[in-house]
Amino acid sequence: MSPRYLLKCGDCDNGIEIYYDDRFLEIGGVHASLDEWRKILLPLLKRG
C-alpha cells in the first residue's frame, strides 16, 4: 500500500484519498502517471 493523503470536506463526512509514490498517483480510484495527472490538473489550477 502506498502512502496517501486524505482530503476531507469541512462541512460533511465526504473525503477523497490520494495515493502516491515517485511516479504515480491514484485519485478517486483512477491510477495514472504524474505526467498524465499534470496534463489534466495544471490547466485547471492556472485558471484561478
Side-chain angles (χ1 to χ4, degrees):
M1 173 120 353
S2 298
R4 72 175 174 124
Y5 289 111
L6 176 60
L7 303 176
K8 293 191 74 159
C9 177
D11 295 326
C12 65
D13 291 332
N14 290 333
I16 188 167
E17 295 178 323
I18 301 174
Y19 293 93
Y20 63 93
D21 64 22
D22 293 339
R23 300 179 323 199
F24 295 96
L25 286 177
E26 180 183 325
I27 302 174
V30 179
H31 187 82
S33 72
L34 288 175
D35 289 335
E36 291 169 331
W37 280 115
R38 283 184 185 116
K39 289 177 188 174
I40 295 167
L41 297 175
L42 284 178
L44 296 174
L45 294 173
K46 290 180 183 179
R47 288 185 182 182

